[in-house]
Amino acid sequence: MNVADSEVVSGILQRAGYVFTQEISDADVILVNTCAVRDNAEQRIYGRLGLFNRYKKRNPGLLIGILGCMAERLRFELVERERLVDMVIGPDEYRKLPLLIEQASEGERGIAVRLSRVENYEDITPLRTDGVCAWISVMRGCDKFCTFCVVPFTRGRERSRSLQSVVQEVLMLAERGFKEVTLLGQNVNSYRDGDYDFADLMRSVAEVDRSVRVRFTTSHPQDMSDKLIETIASNDNICKYIHLPVQSGSDRILKLMNRTYTIDHYVGLVEKIRRAMPGVSLTTDIISGFPSETEGDHQVTLDLVNEMKYDGGYTFKYSPRENTKAWGMKDDVSEEEKGRRVGEVTQALHKISLALNQSMIGTIERILVERHSKKSDCEFMGRTDTNRTVIFPRNGEYPGEYIDVLIQRANSATLFGTRVDAENADGGNRLGALQETSL
Ligand code: SAH
Ligand code: SF4
């Protein structure tokens, strides 16, 4: 979401005549987009500000600005008390940036942190470098108020972009050669444009160009509709990958978190999704050590993770956030205990992904080639429809191409293989079956 927001900011600045530099020491303005969802994200920003202030000593005219959720939360501390930055700009005030930069260059420190009920930046063309995958924010804010979460306070109320503006953007991206779009919202199930809901939006986006893959995140388990499941299932270019954060396996904790669903509902939903889309990939988020979480609550979370056989997941130690309802609850699970629990959940998730990934050895997977692998220029990486990363030796492929890869090796995070000719690729699992019989 922050990558998408930074592209909106870049679009606004480019329109105002600013240009980018690759060298931080050449910059006249440094803007840092921030996250406030957990304390450690904020601590990293403080570290970064220390570094930028060293550049400022060398270049006193340099302006430093904080964008995003942390700006919303720590406006006065950052500008007035600590005087670490010249500007703080919240997520709904990016249009004011050119003006604030101008004022700051005349010595006037600026704060713009009003939240809006309507701002959705739909008329701003985000500045993206050409590539394969693009993020598109289709809605902003969140009205769910999970008791641990600062997002409703830092990003404000829910509001959606028009279906037409999203479809138009996807059309432009397809013409520029993009091959994958991910529609973003804190809770995409709440998307609304008049009579159109999120399923309508997904279908319209999928119809723009069938060679462009469509992904989305995040769906709240309380109100993922049958219509949305049907839409994902019936459109080949909508990826069969759903991030469905459960947060905890304990009904008591879910209630304290105000997640508004029970484990029974969640398990029923997962069954429904898997029935509609066999082979669908499912991932989750889990928070360990929420106030009053007992060993018993932790164990049922582990049980749920094992039962759901998630393809992957993100795990977090509970981090108390000011203003949230849980801030008033006693943070009574020790750091050490949180660490142990989160470690166990992470390990359980790893074990499942490893087994699932290894079961794919010998199969042929269609992937979208994205870029060089991080480790070597001789290798490329791409992803399967189900969002698995695949690394393969480069042999004339180009980013944006769909190719078939025979999977030969796997760890919990990545599959490794080699390209096979398309004519060998029909009937996906045939080779796997052959290999098994020959073994
Ligand atoms: N809107 C998304 C979540 C956005 S925040 C959703 O509802 O799924 C991403 C993840 O950060 C959350 O799913 C949660 O697992 C984690 N998170 C949010 N607040 C947190 C906190 N105070 N402490 C620890 N983890 C937190
Ligand atoms: Fe936060 Fe809950 Fe909204 Fe997600 S749905 S952003 S966790 S309040």
Side-chain angles (χ1 to χ4, degrees):
M1 199 154 279
N2 268 2
V3 172
D5 266 16
S6 296
E7 290 170 346
V8 166
V9 168
S10 304
I12 291 170
L13 289 177
Q14 192 195 38
R15 222 195 237 181
Y18 287 88
V19 291
F20 290 87
T21 168
Q22 296 302 315
E23 279 300 321
I24 201 165
S25 51
D26 290 343
D28 299 311
V29 183
I30 300 177
L31 300 170
V32 198
N33 201 354
T34 59
C35 172
V37 90
R38 286 175 303 279
D39 184 56
N40 57 2
E42 290 189 358
Q43 294 312 319
R44 294 222 309 264
I45 295 297
Y46 277 113
R48 213 58 87 75
L49 288 180
L51 178 74
F52 296 153
N53 273 287
R54 262 184 272 150
Y55 288 105
K56 199 165 179 142
K57 288 214 175 79
R58 265 182 266 152
N59 171 10
L62 174 66
L63 300 175
I64 301 176
I66 288 278
L67 313 178
C69 291
M70 205 171 150
E72 204 59 50
R73 239 178 60 70
L74 299 170
R75 41 193 122 171
F76 298 112
E77 282 89 333
L78 288 167
V79 172
E80 278 157 19
R81 202 176 69 211
E82 309 203 14
R83 302 184 82 81
L84 279 173
V85 298
D86 303 286
M87 301 162 273
V88 291
I89 304 101
D92 288 345
E93 297 263 48
Y94 296 146
R95 285 178 203 267
K96 287 197 186 139
L97 251 171
L99 179 70
L100 286 165
I101 294 175
E102 220 172 281
Q103 288 172 346
S105 67
E106 284 154 17
E108 207 179 307
R109 282 168 198 261
I111 300 185
V113 289
R114 276 229 330 261
L115 289 171
S116 157
R117 283 180 179 271
V118 291
E119 179 62 273
N120 59 23
Y121 300 112
E122 73 176 9
D123 59 314
I124 304 279
T125 308
L127 185 66
R128 300 182 174 98
T129 39
D130 279 326
V132 177
C133 309
W135 306 102
I136 305 182
S137 277
V138 299
M139 57 178 297
R140 300 180 71 84
C142 183
D143 287 353
K144 284 279 180 209
F145 287 92
C146 302
T147 59
F148 51 80
C149 185
V150 78
V151 169
F153 303 95
T154 58
R155 299 185 78 91
R157 297 288 68 74
E158 273 170 12
R159 68 221 96 119
S160 303
R161 279 175 61 172
S162 68
L163 181 139
Q164 209 40 49
S165 79
V166 177
V167 167
Q168 208 49 43
E169 192 167 343
V170 175
L171 195 62
M172 268 166 45
L173 290 168
E175 278 166 5
R176 266 177 70 186
F178 281 86
K179 287 288 171 209
E180 183 180 294
V181 293
T182 304
L183 308 190
L184 298 173
Q186 292 297 346
N187 172 21
V188 291
N189 303 319
S190 301
Y191 176 87
R192 206 142 264 293
D193 172 18
D195 287 338
Y196 299 126
D197 62 12
F198 187 65
D200 298 322
L201 177 70
M202 287 287 279
R203 189 173 30 78
S204 306
V205 165
E207 282 167 357
V208 168
D209 180 338
R210 291 290 178 188
S211 78
V212 173
R213 278 179 172 179
V214 185
R215 297 186 188 278
F216 69 99
T217 197
T218 300
S219 210
H220 189 290
Q222 187 207 336
D223 34 28
M224 180 163 196
S225 68
D226 291 355
K227 181 175 164 192
L228 179 58
I229 297 173
E230 215 286 305
T231 305
I232 304 169
S234 59
N235 283 272
D236 281 348
N237 59 328
I238 300 185
C239 293
K240 307 297 175 273
Y241 165 72
I242 301 177
H243 184 55
L244 199 64
V246 71
Q247 312 296 357
S248 169
S250 153
D251 277 337
R252 188 183 66 85
I253 296 292
L254 287 178
K255 194 148 194 244
L256 286 174
M257 287 175 163
N258 189 32
R259 284 296 285 187
T260 60
Y261 50 83
T262 60
I263 291 301
D264 258 3
H265 169 85
Y266 185 89
V267 171
L269 178 61
V270 168
E271 278 166 6
K272 196 170 6 172
I273 293 171
R274 286 190 163 142
R275 232 178 295 128
M277 292 171 252
V280 65
S281 172
L282 283 177
T283 55
T284 190
D285 290 347
I286 306 267
I287 298 178
S288 289
F290 186 81
S292 86
E293 186 189 73
T294 62
E295 182 58 28
D297 296 320
H298 168 58
Q299 288 300 331
V300 291
T301 301
L302 282 175
D303 291 346
L304 181 80
V305 164
N306 288 321
E307 189 191 327
M308 290 296 99
K309 292 215 166 20
Y310 287 113
D311 294 80
Y314 302 91
T315 54
F316 309 101
K317 286 197 272 184
Y318 169 66
S319 169
R321 308 275 66 206
E322 219 171 335
N323 290 325
T324 63
K325 206 155 178 205
W327 178 254
M329 303 178 194
K330 196 161 167 237
D331 183 21
D332 55 0
V333 181
S334 69
E335 258 320 285
E336 196 190 348
E337 189 56 26
K338 281 181 191 169
R340 179 186 66 84
R341 291 180 192 174
V342 85
E344 288 180 6
V345 179
T346 312
Q347 229 181 354
L349 284 163
H350 272 180
K351 212 168 142 190
I352 302 165
S353 346
L354 181 64
L356 287 173
N357 282 354
Q358 287 190 333
S359 74
M360 293 173 76
I361 294 175
T363 62
I364 292 171
E365 299 294 322
R366 170 140 293 199
I367 65 165
L368 172 61
V369 179
E370 282 181 28
R371 52 173 166 77
H372 287 123
S373 89
K374 286 198 179 110
K375 292 199 180 127
S376 157
D377 271 0
C378 310
E379 288 176 335
F380 260 174
M381 71 76 67
R383 272 177 304 148
T384 64
D385 172 288
T386 54
N387 211 27
R388 288 188 162 79
T389 300
V390 179
I391 308 278
F392 63 96
R394 190 179 168 189
N395 187 13
E397 294 80 10
Y398 55 89
E401 193 182 357
Y402 288 96
I403 64 163
D404 295 305
V405 172
L406 170 65
I407 307 302
Q408 294 159 316
R409 199 158 59 80
N411 62 33
S412 67
T414 313
L415 304 169
F416 301 86
T418 46
R419 181 178 187 166
V420 287
D421 289 338
E423 55 269 27
N424 295 342
D426 56 348
N429 286 316
R430 201 176 38 151
L431 231 110
L434 274 179
Q435 197 188 25
E436 257 176 51
T437 40
S438 65
L439 281 173

